[in-house]
């Protein structure tokens, strides 16, 4: 019985390890603006919004030959009004120092605040939540191993 459980644990851990190194050709992101669609604001309601395949987005004139490989959520406050912009991202890095839990924040004069959140861990990662399922699977695997052994 213990060898079957060990094999199952090994299979789960192997799949998890493999998923950390698999590269993905494209990412799908939510694309909307809260000034056009109030459901784009937080809390985000994607019930009527299709997800966009970023690899099908056109090249931009000012950065030729650069394809979108990430998702971005911008939260900005201008003159006391909050706006949200969700889109495919062409430049930048995920999170701060590669940690998607953190976003880049900027403030300016005249009551301006901007927060940029960039991610590439999973399709739709520019929704309201930033929970990473990979970490959940790793934690569940460790808990499962402790129960068995």
């Amino acid at each position: 019985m213990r060898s079957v459980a060990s094999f199952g644990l090994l299979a789960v851990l192997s799949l998890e390890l493999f998923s950390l190194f698999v590269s993905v050709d494209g990412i799908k992101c939510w694309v909307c603006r809260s000034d056009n669609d109030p459901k784009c604001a937080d809390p985000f309601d994607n019930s009527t919004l299709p997800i966009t395949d970023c690899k099908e987005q056109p090249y931009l004139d000012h950065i030729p030959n650069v394809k979108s490989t990430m998702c971005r959520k911008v939260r900005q406050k201008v003159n006391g009004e909050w706006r949200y912009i969700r889109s495919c991202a062409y430049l930048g890095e995920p999170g701060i120092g590669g940690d998607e839990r953190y976003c880049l924040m900027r403030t300016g004069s005249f009551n301006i605040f901007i927060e940029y959140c960039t991610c590439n861990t999973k399709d739709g990662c520019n929704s309201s939540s930033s929970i990473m399922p990979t970490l959940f699977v790793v934690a569940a695997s460790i808990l499962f191993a402790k129960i068995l052994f």
Side-chain angles (χ1 to χ4, degrees):
M1 180 68 170
R2 192 173 277 268
S3 65
V4 171
S6 297
F7 177 75
L9 177 62
L10 182 61
V12 169
L13 289 174
S14 297
L15 285 173
E16 179 59 28
L17 185 61
F18 177 73
S19 72
L20 292 174
F21 296 103
V22 172
S23 73
V24 179
D25 286 345
I27 190 164
K28 295 178 182 176
C29 304
W30 301 109
V31 176
C32 62
R33 296 177 56 101
S34 64
D35 54 347
N36 294 334
D37 184 355
K39 291 182 177 183
C40 189
D42 281 341
F44 183 50
D45 178 6
N46 62 7
S47 61
T48 60
L49 187 66
I51 198 161
T52 300
D53 189 346
C54 292
K55 71 180 175 190
E56 302 201 5
Q57 293 292 298
Y59 287 108
L60 301 177
D61 291 337
H62 62 285
I63 49 173
N65 301 319
V66 176
K67 288 299 275 178
S68 174
T69 59
M70 299 172 289
C71 299
R72 178 165 292 137
K73 173 185 163 189
V74 177
R75 184 172 70 112
Q76 60 185 11
K77 182 179 182 183
V78 180
N79 296 324
E81 181 183 332
W82 285 101
R83 295 181 188 160
Y84 296 81
I85 303 165
R86 300 172 199 276
S87 64
C88 297
Y90 291 80
L91 298 174
E93 69 173 299
I96 295 178
D99 190 339
E100 293 182 9
R101 295 176 298 170
Y102 301 103
C103 300
L104 182 63
M105 292 182 228
R106 296 286 183 251
T107 58
S109 55
F110 304 106
N111 196 20
I112 294 175
F113 171 85
I114 301 175
E115 178 182 60
Y116 299 92
C117 302
T118 307
C119 59
N120 65 359
T121 54
K122 65 178 181 168
D123 289 341
C125 61
N126 62 339
S127 65
S128 294
S129 175
S130 63
I131 297 171
M132 298 187 334
T134 302
L135 292 178
F136 173 76
V137 173
V138 170
S141 299
I142 293 170
L143 181 62
F144 185 66
K146 285 189 176 204
I147 290 171
L148 288 177
F149 303 106

